[in-house]
Amino acid sequence: MENKNADAQYNKMVSTPVWKLVTTLAIPTVISMLITSIYNMADTFFVSQISTEASAAVGVVFPIMSIIQACGFTLGMGSGSLLSIKLGQKKNDEASEISATAFYTAIFIGFLITIFGNIFAAAFLRLVGASEAVLPYAQDYARYIFFGALFMCASFVLNNDLRAEGKAFFSMIALTLGGLINIVLDPLFIFTFDLGISGAAIATIVSQFISFSILLSWYVRRKVICSMSIKHFTKRPAVLGHIVSMGMPSLARQGMASIATILLNTMSARYGGDSAIAAMSIVTKICMFMGSIMIGIGQGFSPVSGYNYGAKRYDRVKKAYIFMVISSFGLLSILAIICYGFAPQIMKAFRDDATVIAVGTVALRWQAAFFPFHPIIVGTNMLMQSTKHVKSALYLSMNRQGIYFIPAIILLSTTFGLTGVEISQAIADILSTFTAIPFMIYFFKKLSKKERLK
């Protein structure tokens, strides 16, 4: 039965029209990403009703979330990229070994984050920009986030591996239910039970645990091709090394996001105080919501790219990429117009504070103007990662919030003050786009040669 399922899935991934396949996989993935972003925004929205300092605290804790995500995404994207290629080659036992190894490694790393995170919480929060007024709120929020690290890290692996198998719908169910529960629990815990900002963190962890349990249930009930049994955990260190190597672009991307957020908080505090931190935190969550559509489409594209690259159906890899870029460009252009036109109203919905609205409006409009470029940035990165071009993927993943953003925010804020902080991400986006284009052109030239030699 397992072989029949694997064969059916293989035929689906290499035979279904590319536009239909990418759309089928992308829709549940986009929904999953949107729900995840919505409940992240829900935390920011409800916490912002408490005070400007509480809103700033969510921004201060965001680098911690990014570190947890970095660990989970490294193992999840690494195993998922390898998984789709192995399944495309019909090496199902090796796929199970990869999947189980990534899963149990994620649990171990999450456990370490919980222990050391709680021990050094105060020192780390001061390092990432918490003022004395914001620190108590940040500690109350971060404490529970650290306790949920294990489930969060493991969920990223389960989530990405399900998508790599082409089971994006299973992933969507888990994330959607968890997200909806978080949205319901946020106001209940924060206001009804009077738990304040701690209530938002508790709601997040409860929802993460529920998503984790549902994701794991698909494996326990054997509804998927790969197995998460501990017996499949590799005895070969090279396997784990290969997973981490394939996931390095994700580690670099999320790691850079952590550093970028720390700098964003620090520079915002220097030139605008806690109100500026709150404003940039809100803008970041809004842009993450918009960007989640691109990431969702990209994660619908990745297994199609990996499966067909492994099966040597190079023509389908190119068609999938083109469809992904065009469809994403259209959607993000519409969202860019909405965000640009209604930026003040969007900011006011989160926090009715004149300074927060003023700073956030400028930053949101600059970032919205460059939303349509994200398909080239994110799509080319995922293309490289899904086809085992690790070095190229690693470099591209470091550009947007690392190689370009870090110097931009330092130089521009030093030169233009708060305005420099507001425009830094937009400048990094346009530079990242121009960098990705030559990589994409070179890749498809090389792919055309492989196609002719088949």
Side-chain angles (χ1 to χ4, degrees), residues 234-268:
T234 188
K235 297 177 178 63
R236 298 175 295 156
V239 172
L240 180 57
H242 204 183
I243 292 169
V244 173
S245 174
M246 285 293 287
M248 281 301 291
S250 297
L251 177 62
R253 183 167 52 247
Q254 294 296 325
M256 288 295 182
S258 297
I259 296 170
T261 306
I262 292 168
L263 280 171
L264 185 63
N265 291 337
T266 302
M267 295 301 178
S268 297

Side-chain angles (χ1 to χ4, degrees), residues 262-303:
I262 292 168
L263 280 171
L264 185 63
N265 291 337
T266 302
M267 295 301 178
S268 297
R270 180 179 299 174
Y271 297 105
D274 291 340
S275 293
I277 295 178
M280 296 309 296
S281 172
I282 292 168
V283 169
T284 297
K285 292 296 177 70
I286 294 168
C287 291
M288 282 178 63
F289 176 76
M290 302 305 171
S292 68
I293 295 175
M294 178 62 246
I295 294 172
I297 295 173
Q299 289 185 342
F301 156 78
S302 288

Side-chain angles (χ1 to χ4, degrees), residues 372-387:
F373 291 90
H374 284 215
I376 298 293
I377 301 170
V378 178
T380 304
N381 190 3
M382 289 187 169
L383 173 70
M384 297 300 169
Q385 190 167 1
S386 65
T387 56

Side-chain angles (χ1 to χ4, degrees), residues 285-330:
K285 292 296 177 70
I286 294 168
C287 291
M288 282 178 63
F289 176 76
M290 302 305 171
S292 68
I293 295 175
M294 178 62 246
I295 294 172
I297 295 173
Q299 289 185 342
F301 156 78
S302 288
V304 178
S305 175
Y307 247 94
N308 285 279
Y309 189 80
K312 298 184 178 180
R313 291 296 307 274
Y314 303 128
D315 58 318
R316 288 172 60 82
V317 176
K318 185 174 183 178
K319 287 178 183 177
Y321 177 84
I322 292 171
F323 175 75
M324 178 265 298
V325 169
I326 292 173
S327 58
S328 302
F329 178 84

